[in-house]
Amino acid sequence: LEYAEKMNYRPNPIALSLKENRSLSIGVIVPEIANFYFSEAINGIEAAAYERGYHAVIFQSQESYRREVEKVEHLVGRRVDGLLMSLSSHTTDLSHLKLLHDQGMPMVFFDRIPAEIETHKVVADNAGGAYEATCQLLESGRRRIAHIASQPGLSITKERLSGYVKALEQYGVSFDENLVKYCEFKPEEVAKNLDALFALPQPPDAFITTSDRLALGYFAGLKKRGVRIPKEVAFVGFSNLHVAELLDPPMSTIVQPAFQMGHTAAGLLLDLIEKKPKLPVFRTICLPTELFLRGSSVGGG
């Protein structure tokens, strides 16, 4: 011990994990850390891990399927005890995850989840949030509501679109597929989609965007076009951005309980790792969203 201290010896955690068959670490893969929703979720994940003596090793897929596969392989190589994931927008082939799951790797998904893998999942009430926001816009007299969505294959995209459609049906407003735009978060898409929407014989009088990046991109795009919000166009975003109330006008938002989602998902993963209970009944936990009405959707029209 004296010699080890003199030589500044530090134990090799990977070697220790081979000896003890556990690393006390969990792998976390999210699409983008800079996204405020995911940064809040990571805070929840790290809090849950710390409470139970684990470390979180965090990677981002940058919305790339190839990067997601590489990060999964790297984390497995580092001997993490389990994986906690939100899928990239381009992940349609789940074979890399199914193989690990079949081999017994503890795995939990949150936010963007796969239907094909049977394990714990934590989601927000995406359909309910979109439904509530669309109803609010319809009640204020809006009838041409543009729905700006992420990639069509994502679970969150399908759920939020279903809430939007349900509200339209309830108010007797016909669904117009020309008002639905799918985006890959590229800035050039904003101008292109806004040009197409405002070229319609009946352009939109309201917008619902379904992520932080889409909310800011389209809010700024409308302002750049000189569109008066909310007088000409009302605006609601699925967003956890704290700056939403500082915008001009303040942005109405559907807020997801990101910290709670991350904390809950990490807790479920640690239960699987520690085999509590030994024969788990897999659950999909749906947490409520909250609609904050601000100046971008209140008044005008």
Side-chain angles (χ1 to χ4, degrees):
L1 291 174
E2 183 180 332
Y3 182 76
E5 185 176 350
K6 179 180 177 181
M7 298 302 293
N8 293 317
Y9 169 76
R10 294 289 182 272
N12 184 322
I14 296 178
L16 285 173
S17 71
L18 289 170
K19 179 184 176 184
E20 300 178 8
N21 202 29
R22 63 192 303 221
S23 64
L24 293 178
S25 62
I26 59 173
V28 181
I29 302 178
V30 297
E32 185 188 35
I33 294 172
N35 182 310
F36 197 78
Y37 163 78
F38 285 114
S39 66
E40 279 193 332
I42 288 169
N43 284 339
I45 292 166
E46 288 198 310
Y50 183 78
E51 289 162 9
R52 293 172 63 167
Y54 286 76
H55 297 282
V57 183
I58 300 162
F59 286 118
Q60 52 186 346
S61 65
Q62 297 284 14
E63 302 288 5
S64 163
Y65 167 74
R66 181 181 59 81
R67 286 196 184 191
E68 180 179 287
V69 173
E70 290 173 355
K71 302 306 182 186
V72 167
E73 290 175 349
H74 182 82
L75 287 167
V76 172
R78 287 179 61 102
R79 307 277 299 185
V80 294
D81 296 329
L83 287 175
L84 182 56
M85 293 184 60
S86 184
L87 298 175
S88 87
S89 60
H90 291 281
T91 297
T92 54
D93 180 1
L94 299 171
S95 57
H96 61 302
L97 300 173
K98 286 180 179 177
L99 178 62
L100 286 173
H101 185 255
D102 291 343
Q103 292 172 345
M105 169 66 78
M107 195 176 294
V108 170
F109 296 91
F110 74 101
D111 189 51
R112 304 175 180 187
I113 63 172
E116 299 92 330
I117 298 178
E118 187 179 0
T119 186
H120 293 310
K121 300 163 189 175
V122 181
V123 297
D125 184 6
N126 293 297
Y131 170 80
E132 185 181 6
T134 308
C135 284
Q136 187 274 326
L137 291 170
L138 292 164
E139 287 168 4
S140 69
R142 312 287 176 165
R143 288 295 180 270
R144 298 284 294 167
I145 303 171
H147 183 86
I148 311 299
S150 304
Q151 288 300 288
L154 287 172
S155 57
I156 56 172
T157 300
K158 297 173 184 176
E159 291 161 6
R160 292 168 186 175
L161 183 61
S162 72
Y164 163 80
V165 171
K166 179 182 175 182
L168 294 178
E169 290 174 348
Q170 183 172 319
Y171 281 78
V173 176
S174 298
F175 172 73
D176 184 349
E177 62 181 13
N178 293 313
L179 291 173
V180 178
K181 299 295 181 184
Y182 299 101
C183 300
E184 292 189 24
F185 310 107
K186 295 176 181 177
E188 58 269 22
E189 285 185 316
V190 175
K192 176 184 175 182
N193 285 335
L194 287 176
D195 286 345
L197 287 166
F198 284 100
L200 292 172
Q202 293 179 286
D205 58 11
F207 277 72
I208 293 178
T209 59
T210 59
S211 76
D212 285 338
R213 289 174 68 180
L214 292 177
L216 283 180
Y218 279 83
F219 194 89
L222 289 169
K223 300 276 284 186
K224 186 176 181 180
R225 291 178 69 98
V227 175
R228 292 172 294 172
I229 305 171
K231 185 172 179 58
E232 294 176 303
V233 169
F235 195 98
V236 180
F238 255 92
S239 175
N240 282 54
L241 290 166
H242 289 173
V243 298
E245 58 187 343
L246 302 179
L247 298 175
D248 180 27
M251 185 195 299
S252 294
T253 55
I254 307 154
V255 175
Q256 303 168 84
F259 182 93
Q260 186 182 355
M261 288 176 70
H263 194 277
T264 301
L268 290 170
L269 178 61
L270 296 175
D271 286 346
L272 287 180
I273 291 168
E274 296 173 357
K275 295 180 171 52
K276 301 177 181 177
K278 289 185 178 181
L279 297 173
V281 176
F282 294 125
R283 296 185 291 160
T284 296
I285 297 176
C286 184
L287 301 176
T289 58
E290 189 172 0
L291 176 62
F292 288 87
L293 295 177
R294 301 187 180 97
S296 69
S297 68
V298 177

